[in-house]
Amino acid sequence: MVAHASNPPAKREPSDMLLRVRGTVQGVGFRPFVHQVATRLGLRGWVRNDAEGVLIRAAGSSPAVAEFLRALRAEAPAAARVQDIEAVRAGTRDDEATAAFAIAPSGPSGLPAATALPPDLAICPDCRRELLDPRDRRHRYPFINCTQCGPRYSIVERLPYDRPNTTMRAFRMCPECGAEYLSPRNRRFHAQPNACPACGPRITLRAPSREELAGEAALGEAVAVLSRGGVLAVRGVGGYHLMVDAGNDAAVAELRRRKHRDEKPFAVMFPDMEALRLAAESSAAEEELLGSPAAPIVLLRRRPTAALAAGLAPGNPWVGAFLPYSPLHLLLLAAFGRPVVATSGNLAEEPLCTDCAEAHVRLAGIAGAFLDHDRPIAHPVDDSVVRVCAAGPVLLRRARGYAPAPLRLPGTVDGSWLCVGAQMKSTVAVAAGDQLVLSPHIGDLDAAPTQAVFRRTVDVLGEIHGSRFTRVVCDRHPDYASTLYARATGLPCTAVQHHLAHVLACLLEHRSRPDGVLGVAWDGTGFGEDGTVWGGEFILLRKGEALRFARLRPFRLPGGEAAIRDGRRVALGLAHAADRASFLPLARRLGFTENESGLLDTMLERGVNSPFASSAGRLFDAAGALLGIGTHNQFEGQIPLALEAAASVRAGPSATLPFPLRPVTHGGGACAELDWEPLVAALGAGRAKGIDTSELAAQFHQALADGIVAAARAAGAGTVALGGGCFQNARLLELASAGLASAGFEVLIPRELPPNDGSIAAGQALGALWNLTSVKLP
Ligand SMILES: [Zn+2]
Ligand SMILES: [Zn+2]
């Protein structure tokens, strides 16, 4: 008999319950916590880890057991994430509740559980106190950790998560550490990376033609390198960072030059919250995130007075800020005393360096010195990135601290499915039983080294369920590296349409059913059902079907890929379709030569290498170019970010722009289209009248949000789910969700899964589960 845990047992009777706890409950001090609460309440029974999470036998008076159930959720350790507690009334005699409460050995070794692979956790307050306490035996020890903090996923080589299966197996615990590890009352009970200066990992500083330094000397020289304006490579939790003094213009410019990274913003690590507040505006919600066990990078508005180099994030009013999250970072930043740029230790577009020898070769032309350590990193794990908007926090990059915490599926998967995701911002997922594990951010699969990380990640996640995959799920795009990989496995393969997967990912995290939902999937480019590029889609989910209810009016992208990098080309594509007479004057104004504009005109006229797209991301690019705010995407989303930045100087626009929803017929069926033509014409007219570009940028955002609301009204579904990279734009997300909510819709926005392609693998799993894989054309 299964009862829900929220129903307390009847009063006055003795209670004896078997409790099943799911979530991130192993490797996070959950058993000692259960032991402590049960002992406090005078319960009998036991707690143990098993394949599905944690199993508890709790016997005692009914009020005590009811209180125990409450405490399991309310008082759980900070690092634990209780997904659900299911109460199965005991009544069986196979495991007698013993006299006292005990921590029992792990259950029968079945399949290792998804629950057994926790994410890496930032240093906890207790360890921080010990780190800074001169009387503590771990005073200033850069690898201090406990059950509430420290590396997890980044050190796991195979499951179950036990020390011999981590990269810590090379370090033999000293007697003192061993005693802590074995004592259930110690806060280092079964802390797998437990270590101390006598027995654990150590730091070294290495630089060309200099002798190797260790310990405090290494730390001291690392600080000296930063103070001199040098580039320091620091081996952290999930890989290397490249660091320079964030207040040193020359050092930041030199790092940018050496990394061949023209304009992409650099993240900044601050010594502490006080230093951060001097440089950026932070709300209570943002500070809570910064100090959480996940300790992500949070996008904050930079203060004009911030003592940060101008070259950190050219033309960008935000700064990606974070706090030291490992003891090594804490010691380094405290000694340096000022913020540092802390950007991924990699070559442009390649995965993070994790291995010392590899880093010394690959980063040789960038870093002047390497602050290394000898705890091997099993897999690269990037820093996570979060943005807090009016509608709540939105995870833009799900990696350290969040992945691979499991998600619960709304059904049970038959076998073990591998979902390979998209091409950009790749992640992969494994679905088995009712659990879904989404990998940390891998990167863009264009580069061969990133593809290698992709394959390694597939292998690691395969370990989680200990069984061979029985199905593979991929995108419909035939040329994605992930799709090619999926096809090559030879497994039964399900392809899920890209924008449908965006919508499903949003439904997954909100545990919503696909009935009576309008999905708004707006992104850069994705492979559409009709072979054209999609990206401004309204997908109606009803009665087990997905229908393309409306779209952005398609336009041509002259030069295909080239138009993705050059917003001016998109603007010309729009002009060509709307008003041929405006084409040549606009081409001149946008800086094209006569030759170039003649060529583009011919391409558009004949439709040569000029695919049709209904992409909202590209419409942003065109608007940015037309307003003179941004012309090129040197990194993905650069022009839309500049447009949002321009609009952000205003609270709201004084007006909106026309962006009508019109009925159209195509392919023999009826559909609706948001028509960009009056919108683009109004932007041009506003500019000609000399209206401020920030005002026009604000009006543009308002018009897009109004268009979404208009489409939702026309579709008549009660719930609207937003997904796709365009919703990384906080202004668009806020305006659209506020507009939809005030029009009476239930609005679902991506929060724990990124709006961008980082959540496609999760959406694919749900598509395969619900057999919802393609979008019907009208
Ligand atoms: Zn700790
Ligand atoms: Zn030790």
Side-chain angles (χ1 to χ4, degrees):
M1 176 187 161
V2 176
H4 202 267
S6 57
N7 303 330
K11 281 208 169 144
R12 299 215 150 268
E13 286 169 30
S15 184
D16 185 358
M17 297 186 103
L18 203 56
L19 300 167
R20 152 68 55 216
V21 187
R22 291 191 187 85
T24 303
V25 289
Q26 293 185 8
V28 291
F30 201 76
R31 285 174 304 163
F33 153 72
V34 171
H35 180 265
Q36 179 209 325
V37 175
T39 308
R40 181 180 90 206
L41 294 169
L43 300 182
R44 291 168 292 116
W46 44 256
V47 54
R48 73 178 179 211
N49 284 342
D50 71 0
E52 284 185 69
V54 164
L55 197 63
I56 303 169
R57 181 79 177 262
S61 73
S62 291
V65 171
E67 166 60 15
F68 180 68
L69 282 172
R70 188 203 61 79
L72 282 186
R73 275 185 190 280
E75 297 170 21
R81 284 176 195 211
V82 176
Q83 207 176 56
D84 66 28
I85 303 173
E86 198 175 50
V88 187
R89 256 166 236 283
T92 54
R93 300 187 57 82
D94 58 337
D95 272 305
E96 288 298 333
T98 47
F101 199 90
I103 294 180
S106 291
S109 57
L111 301 177
T115 46
L117 199 51
D120 300 289
L121 302 165
I123 183 168
C124 74
D126 287 337
C127 286
R128 182 186 295 254
R129 200 175 314 115
E130 288 180 7
L131 179 73
L132 303 176
D133 180 356
R135 293 159 306 176
D136 194 274
R137 71 188 187 93
R138 292 188 180 87
H139 179 228
R140 295 184 65 76
Y141 179 56
F143 302 95
I144 185 171
N145 68 83
C146 72
T147 54
Q148 293 310 294
C149 73
R152 296 290 187 275
Y153 176 72
S154 64
I155 57 167
V156 174
E157 291 181 319
R158 65 194 75 81
L159 286 167
Y161 174 59
D162 277 325
R163 188 161 173 121
N165 291 338
T166 71
T167 62
M168 282 299 293
R169 72 169 171 279
F171 301 93
R172 198 191 159 95
M173 273 186 272
C174 68
E176 273 178 283
C177 286
E180 293 166 343
Y181 183 86
L182 291 175
S183 164
R185 287 177 189 279
N186 194 284
R187 65 186 195 86
R188 296 199 165 88
F189 176 64
H190 282 208
Q192 306 303 345
N194 190 26
C196 78
C199 67
R202 292 156 198 234
I203 55 169
T204 49
L205 187 104
R206 295 167 181 156
S209 66
R210 212 184 298 163
E211 69 174 310
E212 186 176 308
L213 300 171
E216 292 292 343
L219 204 59
E221 178 58 20
V223 170
V225 169
L226 292 172
S227 302
R228 289 196 296 265
V231 179
L232 179 71
V234 180
R235 193 182 201 205
V237 174
Y240 276 84
H241 280 126
L242 289 164
M243 294 189 180
V244 294
D245 180 349
N248 184 329
D249 286 293
V252 172
E254 183 60 15
L255 175 60
R256 207 169 267 293
R257 192 186 66 75
R258 292 187 194 171
K259 255 198 115 179
H260 304 296
R261 181 153 160 165
D262 293 337
E263 291 180 2
K264 199 168 176 180
F266 284 139
V268 179
M269 187 182 274
F270 291 86
D272 50 39
M273 200 70 88
E274 287 66 41
L276 182 145
R277 286 184 189 130
L278 291 177
E281 296 168 20
S282 53
S283 67
E286 286 160 341
E287 292 191 1
E288 192 185 324
L289 275 166
L290 288 161
S292 70
I297 294 171
V298 181
L299 293 194
L300 300 175
R301 184 165 280 274
R302 182 171 158 176
R303 292 190 193 278
T305 53
L308 297 175
L312 278 179
N316 186 331
W318 298 284
V319 57
F322 59 149
L323 295 173
Y325 53 84
S326 82
L328 176 57
H329 293 131
L330 201 63
L331 293 173
L332 179 66
L333 270 284
F336 184 58
R338 294 199 300 279
V340 296
V341 162
T343 186
S344 309
N346 58 5
L347 304 173
E349 312 311 324
E350 288 196 358
L352 270 185
C353 288
T354 52
D355 180 71
C356 290
E358 175 204 12
H360 289 203
V361 173
R362 280 169 63 197
L363 303 180
I366 304 178
F370 292 81
L371 184 59
D372 288 333
H373 62 70
D374 55 356
R375 184 179 72 203
I377 296 170
H379 344 273
V381 189
D382 281 277
D383 297 312
S384 294
V385 182
V386 183
R387 185 168 199 188
V388 177
C389 65
V394 177
L395 205 48
L396 301 184
R397 188 205 279 158
R398 186 177 183 270
R400 179 182 50 75
Y402 296 96
L407 297 138
R408 186 132 189 228
L409 289 167
T412 302
V413 164
D414 175 21
S416 176
W417 299 351
L418 169 67
C419 310
V420 294
Q423 172 84 2
M424 306 291 278
K425 297 185 165 61
S426 164
T427 59
V428 296
V430 173
D434 65 354
Q435 297 286 319
L436 178 86
V437 172
L438 183 64
S439 78
H441 167 87
I442 295 168
D444 298 343
L445 295 182
D446 295 339
T450 318
Q451 291 180 16
V453 174
F454 167 90
R455 288 189 298 269
R456 280 211 301 278
T457 308
V458 167
D459 292 343
V460 171
L461 292 193
E463 285 270 330
I464 289 175
H465 295 284
S467 60
R468 293 230 297 273
F469 297 122
T470 56
R471 172 167 297 279
V472 61
V473 192
C474 65
D475 198 276
R476 285 190 184 271
H477 198 301
D479 303 326
Y480 279 177
S482 54
T483 306
L484 296 172
Y485 177 91
R487 302 280 182 203
T489 60
L491 292 168
C493 184
T494 306
V496 179
Q497 199 277 326
H498 187 89
H499 301 93
L500 178 57
H502 271 307
V503 175
L504 293 173
C506 187
L507 296 190
L508 173 65
E509 76 166 276
H510 291 280
R511 307 185 66 77
S512 189
R513 304 295 308 176
D515 200 28
V517 175
L518 181 70
V520 183
W522 279 19
D523 66 359
T525 49
F527 191 78
E529 298 284 1
D530 55 3
T532 71
V533 177
W534 286 17
E537 311 309 313
F538 295 88
I539 299 169
L540 187 57
L541 300 172
R542 204 171 46 192
K543 296 177 187 151
E545 276 190 350
L547 176 78
R548 192 188 200 191
F549 172 77
R551 62 179 181 185
L552 187 64
R553 176 182 155 192
F555 47 86
R556 284 192 183 278
L557 299 176
E561 286 289 319
I564 293 176
R565 290 185 297 274
D566 185 349
R568 302 174 308 159
R569 284 173 177 253
V570 187
L572 284 181
L574 298 178
H576 192 275
D579 174 15
R580 279 296 297 280
S582 71
F583 182 87
L584 284 175
L586 179 64
R588 207 170 301 126
R589 179 159 83 72
L590 292 174
F592 289 102
T593 65
E594 299 259 322
N595 246 344
E596 287 167 333
S597 44
L599 196 64
L600 289 167
D601 189 34
T602 308
M603 281 167 75
L604 286 162
E605 192 59 32
R606 300 189 184 156
V608 177
N609 191 20
S610 301
F612 270 111
S614 55
S615 161
R618 298 287 86 82
L619 184 62
F620 266 94
D621 291 350
L626 286 169
L627 294 179
I629 286 171
T631 55
H632 289 77
N633 285 316
Q634 287 187 15
F635 58 90
E636 197 196 357
Q638 183 177 8
I639 304 175
L641 192 67
L643 204 63
E644 185 190 354
S648 74
V649 302
R650 295 173 182 271
S654 55
T656 184
L657 298 171
F659 191 34
L661 185 74
R662 304 187 201 280
V664 289
T665 54
H666 72 97
C671 176
E673 266 180 12
L674 280 172
D675 188 0
W676 42 262
E677 193 174 325
L679 176 62
V680 168
L683 285 179
R687 198 151 187 235
K689 274 190 260 171
I691 298 176
D692 191 71
T693 50
S694 67
E695 168 64 20
L696 290 172
Q699 292 184 7
F700 175 78
H701 281 82
Q702 186 62 54
L704 263 53
D706 293 347
I708 289 173
V709 176
R713 285 188 200 276
T719 302
V720 181
L722 307 178
C726 290
F727 293 106
Q728 296 174 106
N729 180 319
R731 193 178 189 93
L732 179 67
L733 184 65
E734 283 165 8
L735 290 173
S737 52
L740 288 165
S742 66
F745 294 99
E746 180 194 16
V747 190
L748 308 179
I749 69 165
R751 289 176 187 282
E752 304 217 346
L753 296 178
N756 57 48
D757 285 4
S759 64
I760 288 290
Q764 288 171 347
L766 203 56
L769 181 68
W770 281 340
N771 196 22
L772 204 52
T773 58
S774 63
V775 180
K776 286 197 166 187
L777 302 175

